[in-house]
Amino acid sequence: MILTFHIWKSLASSTNDCILNIQFPSQRNDSNCVQGNWGGFLEANCCVVPFDGYLHALGERANKTGQIFLNMTEQVNCLASMKTKQDDVLNCGIQKLTSGEGGCSDYSVIDVINKLENFENMLEESCDLGSDDLSGEACGSCLRMWEEMGEKGEDDICRFAVLVTVTSRGIYEEKWIKELYGCLQGQNRLSMGNGIHTF
């Protein structure tokens, strides 16, 4: 673990050419520390905003290229770029979503459609793409589906591969994506505040 951290730190200091278009809120202040951990996936507090921006950027890239996760070099470059705006981003656990580890980490959008189509369809339907409001009962249904995917043996990497694919399909539905991420991270839309999740 320590060795991995030093490798990441060394690589991250060498370059910051990120292939993703990761958007952060225009102003940083204490209100940007949104609590939520995506069911324990995130390893530190105050990681929700950069993680949601990262997921959204993965969705944009998947929409254009069909590729889901970045390889280690690409991801290190993006984390280095993000670190200039969010000091503790290297402690968030984002590096767990890296291609090259086998299984779902190497899936493309086509792979998700071919191998995880049931989960993709169920998540899309449960989270109601195009809904004007994904809170209350609608969020409950969406969250139950997300948790059910884990209970049926899909690890976090597979679930996020499905989520990035779903995001790529609804990439122009900004309000819905904000609602979706707010629901799944454990926050409701009223507690997110205005302007926190600006993509």
Side-chain angles (χ1 to χ4, degrees):
M1 184 70 176
I2 294 174
L3 178 62
T4 302
F5 173 76
H6 285 302
I7 290 171
W8 277 82
K9 187 174 179 183
S10 173
L11 287 171
S13 66
S14 64
T15 183
N16 62 356
D17 296 325
C18 181
I19 66 171
L20 299 177
N21 178 27
I22 302 172
Q23 300 295 316
F24 279 82
S26 56
Q27 293 183 347
R28 287 186 61 194
N29 54 45
D30 291 341
S31 69
N32 287 344
C33 184
V34 180
Q35 298 298 309
N37 64 12
W38 284 85
F41 183 81
L42 296 180
E43 297 171 356
N45 290 329
C46 300
C47 287
V48 165
V49 170
F51 185 61
D52 288 9
Y54 183 78
L55 282 178
H56 186 272
L58 286 178
E60 278 186 324
R61 176 175 176 261
N63 177 270
K64 294 173 183 174
T65 69
Q67 300 303 308
I68 297 178
F69 299 125
L70 304 183
N71 65 38
M72 179 178 270
T73 300
E74 292 166 338
Q75 191 183 68
V76 165
N77 291 344
C78 287
L79 287 174
S81 175
M82 293 167 71
K83 191 177 186 305
T84 64
K85 298 179 180 178
Q86 182 85 21
D87 292 338
D88 60 354
V89 73
L90 296 180
N91 298 320
C92 289
I94 295 173
Q95 71 276 6
K96 292 183 280 188
L97 298 181
T98 307
S99 68
E101 301 295 319
C104 292
S105 77
D106 296 321
Y107 277 17
S108 66
V109 168
I110 295 299
D111 292 325
V112 169
I113 291 170
N114 289 337
K115 300 175 183 178
L116 298 172
E117 181 181 21
N118 288 342
F119 287 114
E120 180 197 4
N121 290 339
M122 288 187 289
L123 185 66
E124 210 166 67
E125 289 170 10
S126 298
C127 300
D128 195 9
L129 175 60
S131 171
D132 290 334
D133 188 7
L134 191 58
S135 61
E137 289 184 18
C139 177
S141 171
C142 182
L143 191 55
R144 280 191 297 276
M145 185 63 240
W146 179 253
E147 292 170 347
E148 188 177 326
M149 289 168 64
E151 291 166 5
K152 289 187 176 179
E154 297 304 322
D155 62 24
D156 281 335
I157 305 304
C158 292
R159 290 198 295 172
F160 280 107
V162 170
L163 181 63
V164 171
T165 299
V166 169
T167 299
S168 75
R169 288 188 171 190
I171 199 64
Y172 300 111
E173 303 288 338
E174 298 288 355
K175 182 179 185 298
W176 175 76
I177 291 174
K178 291 177 190 178
E179 298 275 347
L180 174 63
Y181 290 3
C183 174
L184 296 182
Q185 73 196 14
Q187 301 290 306
N188 63 45
R189 70 186 181 88
L190 296 177
S191 66
M192 286 193 290
N194 292 330
I196 291 178
H197 290 236
T198 303
F199 298 127

